[in-house]
Amino acid sequence: MSTIEAEVDALRSEALEALTQADGEAAREAWRAEWLGRKDGRLTLRLRALKDAPPESRAALGKSLNELKATLEAELEARRDSARAAALSADAALDVTLPGRPQSLGRLHPVTQTMNDCIAAFAEMGFRVFEGPEVEWSRYNFDAVRIPDDHPARDMWDTIWIDTLIEGERQILLRTHTSPNQIRVMEQTEPPVRVIVPGKCYRQEATDATHEWMLTQIEGLAVDEGVRMSDLKGTLYAFARRLFGEDRRIIFHHSYFPFVEPGVEMAIDCFLCRAGGSDCRTCHDTGWIEILGAGMVHPEIIENAGYDSSRYTGFAFGVGIERVAMLRWGIEDIRHFYQNDLRFLRQF
Ligand code: PHE
């Protein structure tokens, strides 16, 4: 073996041995600087010293040293590659061979879906959408719709009040129904009026299969010359047929709401017992489930709005959206809607 070969061999063994000892990227980088560093790497210095080598051996030495340089660079790259591969397979989250995770698609809540369908049904009949506040003055929620303070009718809506006192009195509440918007709409527009007002309402009441402390309503209001009870019935029949199909039975009962005269409740046959119940917890064996209150707008309310009640008449209604959703899908308990149980929500 020539002295040149012997020298280069010794360098190679030392460098490769040191590389096997270099554990981790920092150690590999230190090794690279020591051997291949541009300024004072050991191999770099050796190559630079070539010019002082005896002319007869210079070419052979240069060739060997350059081959060694290529070997060291390739070995370093190989060590880095295998370190990267090891890190990848050690970290399961980065296993690129795993199948992708499916994105689950969201969908609209069943109450929102039903709300949208109800809005569409009324919109087709020419009703425009109006929105009012959920935090409401008691003046609008009660007084303006003919439910004065201390009137027993206030008991029909157990109220969630806001603590803030104004002039020493509680005046702000979470609206118990969407009816205050009858007034808000009439204050802002001239007849003819044909609006629906969708939104959440709040009642401080014990929950059961058909009652929740938060509920969704759509208020409807139509005021014009010559609006009659038959218009109310026709509108609500059309709505019920659109949502439930022709075969559902509908019944109007006389009822009392201070802001309408006469007042009615519209009910639909119970989907569970089909109006022939015994121990039916949805309809309490009445066979019917009330889905809305309605009636002819009280003339006093028309007058208070600044309309001439001898010229204008109107009807109003308030639909409970959760009830409508329950009837459509045969849901037996209103409390399912707001418990966020995905096993329930995924069914719609
Ligand atoms: N606001 C009434 C309720 O909550 C429903 C209703 C609206 C009745 C319009 C008659 C007319 O319960």
Side-chain angles (χ1 to χ4, degrees):
M1 194 188 271
S2 74
T3 44
I4 293 175
E5 278 174 56
E7 191 207 336
V8 174
D9 263 1
L11 275 177
R12 178 186 295 111
S13 330
E14 195 190 340
L16 291 180
E17 170 61 22
L19 182 59
T20 13
Q21 304 294 320
D23 204 10
E25 187 48 32
R28 278 189 292 274
E29 181 51 29
W31 178 89
R32 192 199 58 77
E34 183 188 344
W35 289 91
L36 302 166
R38 229 181 259 266
K39 253 171 64 189
D40 53 3
R42 285 173 61 183
L43 190 54
T44 315
L45 292 178
R46 192 67 195 75
L47 277 161
R48 210 172 285 153
L50 255 188
K51 63 179 188 304
D52 304 326
E56 64 279 9
S57 61
R58 196 182 292 161
L61 182 58
K63 185 169 180 269
S64 293
L65 287 174
N66 274 311
E67 277 169 13
L68 177 57
K69 188 178 175 213
T71 305
L72 294 190
E73 283 169 351
E75 278 299 311
L76 175 64
E77 241 354 271
R79 304 272 309 182
R80 282 181 163 159
D81 281 348
S82 65
R84 271 194 289 268
L88 265 184
S89 62
D91 185 353
L94 283 175
D95 184 346
V96 292
T97 65
L98 279 177
R101 288 179 201 159
Q103 285 287 321
S104 62
L105 273 185
R107 68 197 82 185
L108 294 176
H109 189 277
V111 171
T112 308
Q113 289 181 37
T114 305
M115 172 65 95
N116 290 346
D117 293 340
C118 292
I119 290 174
F122 289 116
E124 279 167 20
M125 290 187 264
F127 287 82
R128 287 175 36 188
V129 175
F130 176 92
E131 283 185 287
E134 287 178 31
V135 180
E136 182 59 283
W137 296 105
S138 61
R139 178 164 62 84
Y140 278 108
N141 194 84
F142 288 130
D143 305 77
V145 290
R146 302 186 72 252
I147 315 172
D149 213 1
D150 300 326
H151 190 287
R154 283 206 186 188
D155 298 343
M156 288 163 68
W157 294 278
D158 288 322
T159 308
I160 299 174
W161 289 90
I162 305 293
D163 281 342
T164 310
L165 299 184
I166 292 173
E167 289 164 2
E169 280 177 52
R170 291 185 310 187
Q171 295 195 24
I172 307 169
L173 45 72
L174 298 187
R175 67 181 176 200
T176 62
H177 53 177
T178 41
S179 296
N181 296 295
Q182 292 182 25
I183 312 303
R184 287 183 175 276
V185 168
M186 287 193 279
E187 277 179 353
Q188 291 176 28
T189 45
E190 288 302 310
V193 171
R194 222 187 283 176
V195 292
I196 49 172
V197 189
K200 299 235 182 308
C201 306
Y202 302 85
R203 295 180 190 181
Q204 185 158 30
E205 60 187 0
T207 63
D208 63 22
T210 54
H211 294 85
E212 255 291 11
W213 62 269
M214 180 183 81
L215 61 146
T216 316
Q217 288 191 335
I218 291 186
E219 189 81 10
L221 176 70
V223 184
D224 200 353
E225 288 180 44
V227 173
R228 297 173 303 177
M229 185 84 187
S230 53
D231 298 313
L232 167 63
K233 286 182 105 178
T235 302
L236 294 180
Y237 267 126
F239 162 71
R241 281 200 299 270
R242 171 84 149 67
L243 259 101
F244 302 107
E246 308 277 338
D247 59 328
R248 284 328 262 284
R249 292 197 293 156
I250 287 158
I251 195 168
F252 284 89
H253 291 296
H254 173 261
S255 185
Y256 172 72
F257 300 96
F259 32 93
V260 287
E261 180 60 37
V264 293
E265 266 170 34
M266 190 176 91
I268 293 197
D269 56 325
C270 176
F271 60 88
L272 259 193
C273 64
R274 286 269 164 182
S278 70
D279 289 338
C280 180
R281 70 175 169 136
T282 298
C283 71
H284 302 292
D285 293 343
T286 60
W288 301 97
I289 304 175
E290 186 212 330
I291 63 162
L292 60 85
M296 299 307 289
V297 182
H298 198 286
E300 224 174 88
I301 287 180
I302 303 234
E303 282 293 323
N304 289 346
Y307 295 0
D308 178 356
S309 68
S310 66
R311 190 169 158 204
Y312 294 107
T313 50
F315 66 75
F317 56 84
V319 190
I321 303 304
E322 285 84 357
R323 300 250 172 127
V324 172
M326 290 169 79
L327 283 160
R328 296 175 91 187
W329 286 305
I331 297 162
E332 79 287 2
D333 196 318
I334 196 171
R335 290 167 293 194
H336 287 313
F337 287 123
Y338 301 115
Q339 282 166 348
N340 283 338
D341 186 335
L342 289 177
R343 291 170 303 178
F344 171 78
L345 294 172
R346 286 201 175 109
Q347 294 177 49
F348 304 97

